Amino acid sequence: MTLHVWLAFIVAAILISLSPGAGAISCMASGMRYGYRRSLPNIAGMQLGIALQLVVVGIGLGALLAASTLAFNLVKGCGVAYLCYLGWQQFRAEAQPVQLADADTAAGTPRALFVQGFLVNASNPKATIFLLAVLPQFIDAHAPALPQYLVCMATLTVVDIVVMSGYALFASRVLRLLREPRQIRWMNRGFGMLFVLAGGFLALFRRA
């Protein structure tokens, strides 16, 4: 991969990460509820989900997912159901300020947040189809594929960590100013509805 191709991929990676989606919603919701540091496992889980998506695309399973209606709908159904579940969990979350939110509850442990981040990205066939369409434009067919995919994976991971950290940090610093239970309750409900809305958009997504 030449330097100018890599720089072009960095721009694409930034646009991919900045685009509003379930990942951004998850980061802001965890940042608001648990604070930035406690959101890091969620961000780390997302990177494992991205890595899995790239592996799927790299070994050709992404093409199978794009071609098979049954496989696509199964993965999409799981993704929609999980996003709606996250929405329900966030909707009914206790109205506690960030500094008082209990990270030792079942939903707030580092392990639970890591799994949540992983599943948000791993169960999104839209991301697979998107990467399947974008990645080949940056891969030189006349050069070994593995090193190029590894460079793409590392680049996308670093960019996504920075962007998702920004979302979580914004939520933890700005949204934590809301201290009244009524305000926090409505914020939780707002994020809950955003999760469900993301699930709705995923349900409507069709393969090209």
Side-chain angles (χ1 to χ4, degrees):
M1 180 177 288
T2 61
L3 178 60
H4 76 276
V5 172
W6 180 63
L7 292 176
F9 182 75
I10 290 179
V11 175
I14 292 173
L15 295 176
I16 292 170
S17 295
L18 283 175
S19 60
I25 296 170
S26 180
C27 283
M28 287 192 290
S30 61
M32 181 197 71
R33 191 174 180 191
Y34 303 113
Y36 172 67
R37 289 187 180 181
R38 293 177 177 178
S39 299
L40 292 178
N42 186 43
I43 297 172
M46 288 182 181
Q47 307 321 306
L48 183 60
I50 290 175
L52 178 61
Q53 292 278 9
L54 286 169
V55 169
V56 165
V57 171
I59 65 178
L61 292 179
L64 175 63
L65 187 63
S68 171
T69 301
L70 177 59
F72 179 84
N73 287 335
L74 282 174
V75 176
K76 183 174 74 170
C78 291
V80 170
Y82 186 64
L83 288 175
C84 289
Y85 166 77
L86 290 179
W88 172 246
Q89 291 291 93
Q90 185 67 36
F91 191 89
R92 60 194 292 268
E94 293 184 20
Q96 295 180 339
V98 169
Q99 62 267 31
L100 298 180
D102 186 3
D104 294 326
T105 60
T109 61
R111 182 176 182 178
L113 290 172
F114 180 87
V115 172
Q116 174 182 315
F118 170 74
L119 291 177
V120 163
N121 277 346
S123 63
N124 187 356
K126 183 178 178 180
T128 308
I129 303 301
F130 188 75
L131 288 174
L132 191 63
V134 171
L135 273 183
Q137 302 178 45
F138 299 95
I139 301 298
D140 184 356
H142 303 291
L146 181 58
Q148 297 181 78
Y149 275 106
L150 290 176
V151 169
C152 289
M153 181 183 296
T155 302
L156 189 55
T157 298
V158 171
V159 169
D160 199 64
I161 287 175
V162 173
V163 172
M164 293 302 123
S165 292
Y167 279 126
L169 192 59
F170 167 79
S172 66
R173 294 291 177 84
V174 177
L175 300 183
R176 73 185 304 172
L177 298 177
L178 302 176
R179 297 180 180 275
E180 294 296 327
R182 182 173 176 272
Q183 295 173 324
I184 298 171
R185 186 178 300 111
W186 279 110
M187 189 63 66
N188 286 335
R189 291 175 179 177
F191 275 114
M193 288 187 286
L194 285 175
F195 272 120
V196 174
L197 188 62
F201 279 121
L202 180 57
L204 295 173
F205 180 71
R206 297 289 185 272
R207 297 171 302 155

